[in-house]
Structures are given as C-alpha cells and as structure tokens.
C-alpha cells in the first residue's frame, strides 16, 4: 500500500515492531512509515523491537508546560520544551495542557515534543486565582474572553470554576451560574471543548448542568452530579497528586480562613471515594498530574498507581485512562491502520503491575526512535 513519508529527511527508515499490542492479547506486527502506523508488511523495514508489550505511549491529560516550577510563566520556548521533554522521559507521548500563560503553539510541530492538546490561558475571576497565570475578568467579559482563549488553544479552553473568596472565607463559584453557563456555550460556539478547575460542590453542579466537557480535580462531586456526568459523557481528570497537597494549603490558610481550611481537608479526605464512585458510575476518567507550578513533571506513572491503589480503578481501566483511551479522547489515533506513529515497548506486562511502565525498552515518537 502507498503510505507517504511525512518528512523523509528526518527519518527515512521504515520501522517494524512485534509484540503484544495492548489492550488485545495477541502478538502482532506493526510498521511505522513516517508518522503513520500500518498493519501491511513493508519491505526494507528495520525491526526495532521483537517481544514485549506495546502501548501507544502514555498521556498526561492535565499538565502545564507553560508554568515553571514554583509558579509564574516560563520565560522562553526552550523552557516549555524542556518541561515537555521531562514528561516524555516518563513515557508521555501526548499531553493536554490545561492552561498556559505562555504561548508556545510552535511546539505543536516540534518533532521531539509530545503531541499537544492545548488550552489558551486560564479564564479566571479577578484577583481570585494564582497570580499571573490567568486572564482575570469580571462576569460581563467572561464569554468574549472564553472565545478569544479558545482561539489561542488548539481545541481546548480552561476556566476557573471556583476559588477561595476571601470575603466569604471559603471556596465560592468564580462567577454567577448564568455567566458560567454562558462560558460553556461560548467555548462550544468557538468550536472548542471546555474544562474547568473545580474544588467545591457548587461549581461542578452548575457546569455539568451547562454541558461542560470535562472537570479538573472534581473533589466536590456528589453522586447526583456524577450520575449526570456519566449520562452526558462528561470527563473527569482527578489529578490525585494535586489533591494530596490540600492539607498543606489548609495549614497555610488556617489562621485567616479556618472555614476554608477545614473544607479543603474534608474534600481531600473524601476524594478517593469520589473518584471510585465516578469510575463505578462509568464517568470517563483520565490520568493527569497537574505538573507545573507546585508539582514536578514526569509523575504520570505515580498518578496511574494512585488511581489504582487509592481509588480502586482496575489496572486495565487505568491503562486506558493513561494511554489509548486518553489518546482517543484527545483526537490522537493510536496503533491502528493509519494511526499516529507513537509507541512504547515494555519488557514486562503493565497489566500485571503498573510499575512495568517505569521500564520501557523502546520509545518512538512521531515515527522517530527516542529510546
Ligand atoms: Zn492545573
């Protein structure tokens, strides 16, 4: 069959791998021609792996390569690129950037950088979000700002659903419910999917009613809202690594905002059960670390282990949530005819233990061997 090389200058070889392509259980052959997968045998292919277990790479569905460690935006494209390569070294071959204060759209075409699904900047309420990250707007400007940030991304837009309201002394919605619903409609009108940072109980109910595509964190989810998410297909990216930091947030807020502090502790304590309930209800749950700012990059396998060990998500579901399922959700076809030429080979079966994901023997991104 005729498969065109995307960039014959870069890697003229045709690659061949053989192994158990998960989630199926049989040994199969795949050929990589340029940036495409084919199941049709290719002459003169170089075999780079024979044996082992093959995944289309891991996905970090919530991270920030435009935010530097400790907070604030990165200062250069090189800095954003470096962070993406840290994720790649952990096996991440596709990522969703859930809000970037630094524009780096040229990295979409960088052969060394994982596939990127990007939001623009966070759309946040005024003086009620991490300083310097979001576009901070009052209610009348929310919809128009969502529209412009949808255009700044490549398919996603990110809003802040709730944050501490210092006047109230607790988490509160970012804006009134009608404005939040209008934000969802504005994103959809712009052809983007929209997700929201949500810790509390109220914001998730409003946004799920409004038809939001995904929720980040979701500590405040009730069984009723979870049932609605499952019915609508609304995704959840729990970022269990992030929720582990709530007790630290609570401790530093204790003196001034004791109500907020105790609320954050309650949310943290109840969270593994929330994720378990979402999994049980059939909510599409995906793996995201929330790297950037306070959390280091490259923790994707740790997040997968937490979903399994703390929230009881079955291993095969965790693998889907952090690999083929997440890729399909983000629009990056996997190891099928005509799919994208990204794959990782593991000597040990990750269905037996997720720890196998820490020891790949071969990594191919965009048709080129990176390990
Ligand atoms: Zn985040």
């Amino acid at each position: 069959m005729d498969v065109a090389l995307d960039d014959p200058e870069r890697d003229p070889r045709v690659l061949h791998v053989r192994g158990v392509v998960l989630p199926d259980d049989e040994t199969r052959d795949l050929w990589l021609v340029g940036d495409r997968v084919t199941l049709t045998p290719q002459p003169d292919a170089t075999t780079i792996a024979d044996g082992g277990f093959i995944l289309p790479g891991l996905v970090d569905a919530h991270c920030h390569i435009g935010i530097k460690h400790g907070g604030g935006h990165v200062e250069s494209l090189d800095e954003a690129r470096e962070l993406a390569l840290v994720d790649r070294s952990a096996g991440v071959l596709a990522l969703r950037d859930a809000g970037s204060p630094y524009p780096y759209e040229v990295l979409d075409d960088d052969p060394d950088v994982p596939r990127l699904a990007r939001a623009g900047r966070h759309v946040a309420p005024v003086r009620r979000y991490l300083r310097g990250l979001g576009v901070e707007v009052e209610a009348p400007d929310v919809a128009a700002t969502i529209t412009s940030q949808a255009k700044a991304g490549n398919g996603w837009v990110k809003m802040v659903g709730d944050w501490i309201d210092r006047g109230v002394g607790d988490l509160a919605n970012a804006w009134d419910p009608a404005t939040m619903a209008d934000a969802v409609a504005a994103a959809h009108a712009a052809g983007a999917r929209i997700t929201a940072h949500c810790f509390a109980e109220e914001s998730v109910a409003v946004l799920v009613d409004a038809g939001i595509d995904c929720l980040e964190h979701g500590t405040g989810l009730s069984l009723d809202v979870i049932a609605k998410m499952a019915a609508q297909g609304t995704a959840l990216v729990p970022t269990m690594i992030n929720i582990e930091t709530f007790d630290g947030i609570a401790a530093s807020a204790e003196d001034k905002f004791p109500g907020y502090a105790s609320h954050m502790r309650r949310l943290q304590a109840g969270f593994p059960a929330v994720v378990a309930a979402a999994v049980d209800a059939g909510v599409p749950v995906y793996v995201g670390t929330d790297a950037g700012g306070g959390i280091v990059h490259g923790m994707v396998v740790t997040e997968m282990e937490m979903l399994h060990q703390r929230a009881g998500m079955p291993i095969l579901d965790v693998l889907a949530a952090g690999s083929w399922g997440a890729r399909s959700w983000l629009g990056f076809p996997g190891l099928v005819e005509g799919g994208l030429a990204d794959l990782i080979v593991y000597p040990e079966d990750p269905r037996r233990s997720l720890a196998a994901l820490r020891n790949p023997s071969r990594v191919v991104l965009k048709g080129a061997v990176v390990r």
Side-chain angles (χ1 to χ4, degrees):
M1 78 175 280
D2 184 18
V3 182
L5 286 173
D6 284 2
D7 184 358
E9 296 286 285
R10 206 179 116 232
D11 189 350
R13 288 179 307 170
V14 176
L15 304 177
H16 164 244
V17 297
R18 179 175 170 81
V20 176
V21 182
L22 298 179
D24 299 333
D25 213 13
E26 63 191 277
T27 298
R28 283 161 48 200
D29 294 275
L30 301 172
W31 286 266
L32 309 178
V33 182
D35 194 17
R36 295 288 163 183
V37 175
T38 181
L39 309 181
T40 304
Q42 300 291 305
D44 303 323
T46 304
T47 299
I48 56 164
D50 190 350
F53 300 84
I54 305 174
L55 284 185
L58 304 183
V59 177
D60 190 338
H62 182 144
C63 72
H64 305 274
I65 65 170
I67 301 176
K68 66 171 151 193
H69 192 57
H73 63 74
V74 299
E75 306 289 344
S76 68
L77 279 176
D78 282 347
E79 225 179 309
R81 196 170 182 280
E82 281 304 309
L83 295 175
L85 296 188
V86 174
D87 292 315
R88 191 186 76 178
S89 69
V92 170
L93 302 187
L95 62 87
R96 186 180 60 138
D97 193 311
S100 177
Y102 188 90
Y104 61 81
E105 64 273 8
V106 296
L107 295 184
D108 289 359
D109 300 320
D110 188 314
D112 294 322
V113 170
R115 313 272 173 192
L116 299 173
R118 294 181 289 104
R121 293 184 70 172
H122 304 71
V123 180
V126 177
R127 284 188 294 282
R128 281 183 56 208
Y129 192 57
L130 298 166
R131 194 178 303 174
L133 296 190
V135 186
E136 301 186 359
V137 287
E138 304 284 2
D141 296 323
V142 169
T145 309
I146 291 279
T147 303
S148 61
Q149 290 310 311
K151 292 193 176 109
N154 69 358
W156 283 90
V157 60
K158 167 79 174 285
M159 65 185 283
V160 174
D162 59 53
W163 196 253
I164 185 171
D165 181 330
R166 290 172 181 78
V168 176
D170 200 350
L171 293 167
N173 280 354
W175 303 281
D176 61 279
T179 296
M180 290 166 61
D182 287 349
V184 173
H188 291 163
R193 286 189 278 179
I194 180 165
T195 190
H197 164 105
C198 295
F199 285 163
E201 294 80 355
E202 208 185 333
S203 61
V204 291
V206 169
L207 290 167
V208 169
D209 274 347
I212 197 163
D213 301 284
C214 181
L215 296 174
E216 311 302 312
H217 321 303
T219 38
L221 284 170
S222 66
L223 292 176
D224 285 351
V225 178
I226 285 171
K228 203 170 282 181
M229 290 174 75
Q232 295 178 176
T234 313
L236 173 66
V237 181
T239 69
M240 296 193 79
I241 290 172
N242 174 311
I243 310 312
E244 294 282 290
T245 69
F246 276 23
D247 53 359
I249 296 171
S252 58
E254 187 74 66
D255 288 348
K256 277 190 184 165
F257 306 109
Y260 168 73
S262 67
H263 193 182
M264 292 295 278
R265 289 195 181 98
R266 279 200 312 280
L267 291 170
Q268 179 177 7
F271 194 53
V274 166
V275 179
V279 169
D280 281 352
V283 171
V285 171
Y286 298 108
V287 173
T289 65
D290 208 359
I295 293 161
V296 296
H297 287 260
M299 302 275 283
V300 68
V301 178
T302 300
E303 178 73 17
M304 294 173 82
E305 288 170 336
M306 288 174 77
L307 285 166
H308 177 56
Q309 290 161 10
R310 309 239 174 124
M313 196 169 176
I315 285 193
L316 199 62
D317 291 352
V318 173
L319 288 169
S323 182
W324 60 86
R327 285 184 68 105
S328 159
W329 178 58
L330 295 176
F332 301 125
L335 301 174
V336 295
E337 182 68 39
L340 294 168
D342 303 337
L343 61 82
I344 303 186
V345 183
Y346 301 97
E348 305 292 330
D349 189 346
R351 293 171 300 183
R352 294 174 65 91
S353 168
L354 292 167
L357 300 174
R358 297 186 192 279
N359 297 301
S361 52
R362 198 52 104 178
V363 178
V364 178
L365 174 64
K366 300 179 182 177
V369 174
V370 298
R371 174 178 175 151

